[in-house]
Amino acid sequence: AGGGSVELADATLALVRPYLGLPVESVRAVATPARCLLSIENLASFHDAASAAQAGSVLLIYTGGMPSPAWRAAYARILSQLPPTLPIHHWGDIDEGGFRIAAVLAATAQSAGHRLLPWMMSPAELPPDVVKQAKTPTSSAQSAMLRWAERCGWSELAVQLQQQPIQLEQESLDPALPD
């Protein structure tokens, strides 16, 4: 979702609102005036963000949960064609699986010359009333979350989760897009 165009194996298409679904194997590149890219783990949150997004301001990509090897290859192709200064964010569940997905995306982004940044995955970034209602992870789940956050290169976020351990589904948050 967003402004611009997508280059496929056999055509170039304009990105349309609210979003365009494509087979990942055919995606070669995306040309966009967006000021950042935001990958989103869950479909409901992607739909909400796509509806809220201003045309062309943020390029949104739905991961479909844990991204497949074909999805990751398309993501790497897209990232390799974007300016290295374009901020690349990920918004996922604040739980073990969400951080494991983020670590996979961070490795793919790094291989394409970008650094993945967290979006709305730290207790410090969330409204206090949301944090109060979040679950507390088990010690093993928290350890795994911290380990995956560190693999992403998100040491500051890991410290925040250690100080204020929470577990939260992405869908419980209202979409907010990076500036």
Side-chain angles (χ1 to χ4, degrees):
S5 61
V6 60
E7 179 186 330
L8 304 175
D10 58 356
T12 299
L13 303 173
L15 295 174
V16 297
R17 289 196 49 88
Y19 57 85
L20 185 63
L22 299 165
V24 293
E25 298 83 4
S26 67
V27 175
R28 298 294 172 253
V30 173
T32 182
R35 63 181 189 273
C36 68
L37 181 148
L38 175 64
S39 56
I40 300 176
E41 178 182 336
N42 295 304
L43 186 58
S45 298
F46 174 80
H47 285 163
D48 291 345
S51 296
Q54 296 176 13
S57 62
V58 178
L59 180 64
L60 303 172
I61 300 179
Y62 169 54
T63 70
M66 177 59 82
S68 69
W71 189 99
R72 293 192 310 268
Y75 185 61
R77 288 191 300 272
I78 291 168
L79 293 180
S80 69
Q81 298 299 313
L82 295 175
T85 56
L86 188 79
I88 308 298
H89 298 275
H90 176 67
W91 179 27
D93 291 335
I94 303 173
D95 62 14
E96 183 178 351
F99 282 99
R100 185 173 56 246
I101 290 167
V104 168
L105 293 175
T108 304
Q110 185 176 16
S111 74
H114 289 270
R115 181 173 186 268
L116 188 68
L117 305 168
W119 183 251
M120 293 183 18
M121 293 182 71
S122 167
E125 298 174 329
L126 304 177
D129 60 319
V130 171
V131 173
K132 283 181 186 176
Q133 295 185 18
K135 295 178 184 177
T136 301
T138 65
S139 60
S140 64
Q142 182 183 4
S143 294
M145 291 165 64
L146 298 174
R147 184 176 62 252
W148 292 117
E150 289 288 348
R151 282 197 188 170
C152 291
W154 300 347
S155 297
E156 184 177 321
L157 191 153
V159 168
Q160 292 166 351
L161 279 172
Q162 200 164 26
Q163 293 171 347
Q164 190 171 17
I166 65 168
Q167 190 171 344
L168 188 67
E169 293 295 318
Q170 179 184 41
E171 295 90 344
S172 64
L173 298 169
D174 292 330
L177 300 175
D179 293 330

